[in-house]
Amino acid sequence: MRANATSAPGQARPLVFAGFSASSWAFALRVWLATLLALYVSFWLELESPSSAALTVAILALPTRAQGMEKAGYRLLGTAIGVAASIVIAGVFSQTGGLLLAVFSIWIGLCVYAAGMLDGNRAYAAALGCTTVALIAIQQIDSPLQVFPTGVARGAAIAIGVLAVALVNEVLAAPAYHPVLASRLEALHRRGMDVAQGAARGEASSSSVAAGLLRDIAALRPEIASLTTESSDGPARTAAARSAMVDLVTVLSLARSLAALPVAILPTEVAGDRDGGASGLIAVCRAWLRGEILRKSADVRSSLDALRAGTRPPQTWRAPLYRSRRIAAEGGARTAIHFALIAMLFVMAGWPTTELCLSLVAVIIGLGSTAPDPRSFTMTALLATPIACLLAGILKYLVFNGVSEFQLLAIGLAPVVIGLALLISLPSRMLSSVGRLTLVFTLAIFAPTNPQSYDPEVFLVTSLFVCLASALVFAAQLLLPSLSGERRIRLLLGEARAELNHVDSRQVRHLPLEEAAFRDAARIEQIVTANDGSTSNDQVVAEAMRCFDQAAILRRCRVELDRLAAGALAEPARAAQAALALRNDRAILATAEALRQAASRRGLSVNSTLAALVSASVAFASIQSSQGRRP
């Protein structure tokens, strides 16, 4: 065992053995022990499908207690929905032939649509509604009376797997997740303040840097939700982390408005004052933005302190999710067609005992719906399935070869389960995905039972259908490609532009400014993800950030002017609203000067409103040229 030589001086160096840290080995050991516990209890209770309990452990194999427990809860929920749907579909359409396959296709499309409208483990629960129907109703397509007992048996096995994971994580003290999230939020806070300090110095704000920062902030949303199940103070930690995340987006939005001021070309004739009016307004705007950035930064620090202490933050924000119904609907329709095409192929070929292959097709489609790129997920499955078949064959016919004792089963499974769990713990997303899928498919093909079955014909047929299922899904996705990244970007940018043109009449009007800005940040995260996770496409990123900036500024102007609409400054406020509706930078700045003079005569302070109007004037100063460069 050796220490990691790359650790920073003064810090405890993590122990490393065989290239993996001690935490990775502890995680792999927990996965192996939970798998054995789930199998032992399933054998003892003589469950119909003990392998489902082991598969549950493989699917819930996550490094921290919070992540595993949240996914476990959604797995139970998704399974319950899938079992209910299986009973209804089998009961109503069991004798309808081709109509039954059409209903399966529609259900798969609906589940993929629901997954597309959600994120994190909620999306996984929606996808699980698809996979549960596949493993219960489709596999029992010729014996509908077995759907209910099969569903009950699967539910019992999954419950045992969940309890095994929970018990092992508790006994072996699986690490908490909130320190990891606190560190990541702190790092994001430092990056955001670096952008703000550069803006205060008059440095131009890079759209690619801002988009990358927004992507990293919004990507924490599903992970923060997992804190709720971590401990008794989980809900308070979740609220604190969520508030810090939302305020970070506001800090970046304010910093970009500040950075735009020095380089903007503002009209020089404002209310008859050739230079003084514009210069004074810019000074007011700059001072207010600096103060607001400092205030929001203090809010982030307060929320981070509350996250560590397990208390609720002073200000609680929601983190509304942005999802495109158009993208989700197109994704659901395409996957429904993929399944229907493969089902038609089986019907025309007349192959016997193809229920297993068809159910695995639905499983791969359902799980792929939660990935950013379904085709990439299918390619990973295409790589993992033959490896899993090889490992399962080695276990069944070389390692065990007729053995039925549980102690030998535990020893024989150790190298495979621990090795693949170590692969899951790697930071590489590709290797981690291959490790997880290989572990899942290996346990599914090996299918531990009591007593263990060693029928070579069953094994070969299962292996063939597992590999064939992934190949057929990949072929269907080639024939009718999944929604491309370019298509997603076009749709998301189109929705951003449409929402910008109707910023007062859309559903975000009822949201506070901070929550509405986070919702827009979630859209930026999806655009960058659709762009292969890169911010190198300057045109796309610049357009997305332009919509983000202008929408945030317009909403701030609307809130500030609404506040003045019923008071002594109602008339200049209405004039400013009219100028904003025209998107005319000179008119906006002129109304800001008129508002300042009116407030000065009455001894009122409207610096926040003036700052919002000046920011709007800057944002729309070059709107025509930016429209001409849209991708």
Side-chain angles (χ1 to χ4, degrees), residues 65 117 123 146 290 298 317 326 363 368 391 411 425 471 571 582:
R65 184 167 59 249
M117 293 299 295
Q146 293 299 313
R290 285 177 176 173
W317 297 119
R326 178 74 176 273
V363 168
L391 291 176
I411 296 172
S425 69
E571 185 175 347
L582 296 174

Side-chain angles (χ1 to χ4, degrees), residues 38-39 42-43 47-57 75 154 157 440 443-449:
L39 287 174
S42 299
F43 292 162
L47 294 184
E48 180 182 336
S49 57
S51 60
S52 294
L55 286 172
T56 297
V57 174
R75 181 166 175 79
R154 176 171 169 78
V440 169
L443 291 174
I445 297 168
F446 176 61
T449 56

Side-chain angles (χ1 to χ4, degrees), residues 171-232:
V171 171
L172 296 185
Y177 195 37
H178 72 268
V180 177
L181 279 176
S183 298
R184 293 173 65 180
L185 286 167
E186 279 184 347
L188 291 170
H189 185 210
R190 287 193 296 270
R191 289 168 59 188
M193 290 309 296
D194 287 343
V195 173
Q197 290 168 5
R201 293 190 298 267
E203 298 175 2
S205 179
S206 168
S207 294
S208 60
V209 170
L213 183 53
L214 288 176
R215 172 199 59 196
D216 295 342
I217 294 171
L220 291 179
R221 184 185 186 278
E223 300 182 43
I224 287 174
S226 66
L227 294 180
T228 303
T229 59
E230 186 172 72
S231 60
S232 58

Side-chain angles (χ1 to χ4, degrees), residues 515-593:
E515 295 178 2
F518 181 84
R519 180 177 176 273
D520 288 349
R523 179 163 48 208
I524 295 292
E525 187 262 339
Q526 294 172 56
I527 290 173
V528 175
T529 301
N531 198 31
D532 295 328
S534 171
T535 57
S536 60
N537 191 332
D538 294 337
Q539 207 172 21
V540 168
V541 172
E543 173 71 359
M545 291 306 301
R546 182 189 70 83
C547 293
F548 173 83
D549 293 336
Q550 292 183 2
I553 291 169
L554 284 174
R555 283 193 291 265
R556 188 174 295 279
C557 288
R558 183 252 301 165
V559 168
E560 292 292 338
L561 294 174
D562 285 350
R563 183 171 58 86
L564 301 178
L569 302 176
E571 185 175 347
R574 284 194 295 270
Q577 288 174 334
L580 283 170
L582 296 174
R583 306 293 198 263
N584 187 306
D585 56 306
R586 288 178 176 271
I588 294 172
L589 198 63
T591 57
E593 177 62 19

Side-chain angles (χ1 to χ4, degrees), residues 334 338 375 476-484:
R334 288 169 190 257
H338 291 160
R375 185 186 294 185
Q477 290 174 343
L478 289 178
L479 183 63
L480 178 64
S482 301
L483 210 59
S484 67

